[in-house]
Amino acid sequence: MPTVLRKYGLRFHFYSGDGHEPPHIHVDGNGCEAKVWLDAVRLAKAKGFNQKDITRILETVEEHRHQMMEAWHEYFG
């Protein structure tokens, strides 16, 4: 599980088996989890996060999208 970023107590990472899906990032923190698509930043799914957290997650992914896409392509080829 390569971690790409840690911010606001959240961990932004990939699962090693995710290479068959379009680029995305998983977000974990405080017992909650989310999945965000990277091509056009949008929420795929979320469990436990409130709307304020989701907004912060999407803003963070948008801010670091280039870094996350580079990490995706470097890891999955």
Side-chain angles (χ1 to χ4, degrees):
M1 280 191 287
T3 298
V4 178
L5 178 71
R6 289 185 185 271
K7 192 168 185 177
Y8 305 122
L10 302 170
R11 183 170 66 103
F12 296 77
H13 63 93
F14 308 127
Y15 288 108
S16 58
D18 283 351
H20 65 283
E21 294 187 57
H24 62 278
I25 196 88
H26 293 272
V27 185
D28 296 326
N30 299 321
C32 306
E33 56 189 49
K35 178 179 177 179
V36 179
W37 300 115
L38 294 175
D39 283 334
V41 174
R42 66 189 188 288
L43 186 67
K45 62 181 177 178
K47 179 181 172 193
F49 287 116
N50 62 37
Q51 189 57 50
K52 182 179 176 182
D53 293 332
I54 291 170
T55 298
R56 176 178 274 177
I57 288 167
L58 293 174
E59 287 172 352
T60 302
V61 171
E62 189 68 48
E63 178 183 350
H64 296 277
R65 180 181 171 276
H66 182 73
Q67 171 191 356
M68 292 174 180
M69 287 292 283
E70 281 186 350
W72 176 276
H73 291 297
E74 182 179 308
Y75 188 78
F76 293 110

